[in-house]
Amino acid sequence: MKYLVEKDKKRRYLFYKHEKKRVILKALLRNENLSRGTRWKITHKLSNLSRNSCLSRVRNRCVPSGRPRGVQSYFKLSRIMLR
């Protein structure tokens, strides 16, 4: 179970590290004034970023137990720990 918590920590760090770069590339990609070739290069750069640096790969987990389900996001505790 501990390795899953460590994996999630790594994903959170990678997301934090690449967040600015990802936002800038996505904004440039939406700009229709750029040429197709330039936008294609931006798409290529975006796809070369680590998959784990994406926000959708981050999983909410209970801090003390590491349980992935039934987590109250405000407290970061699972339903069992809240009881």
Side-chain angles (χ1 to χ4, degrees), residues 9-39:
K9 284 182 185 177
K10 180 182 175 186
R11 286 179 177 167
R12 286 178 189 273
Y13 171 74
L14 283 173
F15 170 70
Y16 174 73
K17 183 178 173 185
H18 295 291
E19 181 180 15
K20 290 179 186 174
K21 190 173 193 177
R22 188 176 291 275
V23 168
I24 290 169
L25 288 174
K26 283 188 175 184
L28 287 173
L29 192 61
R30 284 190 214 107
N31 186 356
E32 304 227 349
N33 294 330
L34 296 174
S35 67
R36 283 188 183 179
T38 306
R39 287 172 51 193

Side-chain angles (χ1 to χ4, degrees), residues 2 5 14 25 29 35 37 44 49-50 58 61 64 71-72 75 77 82:
K2 185 173 177 156
V5 175
L14 283 173
L25 288 174
L29 192 61
S35 67
H44 189 66
L49 286 176
S50 173
V58 175
R61 290 190 176 271
V71 177
Q72 300 293 322
F75 300 109
L77 293 172
L82 276 175

Side-chain angles (χ1 to χ4, degrees), residues 29 46 55:
L29 192 61
L46 193 60
L55 180 62

Side-chain angles (χ1 to χ4, degrees), residues 48-65:
N48 281 340
L49 286 176
S50 173
R51 280 180 136 180
N52 286 332
S53 68
C54 186
L55 180 62
S56 63
R57 304 278 286 205
V58 175
R59 177 77 179 186
N60 281 341
R61 290 190 176 271
C62 175
V63 174
S65 66

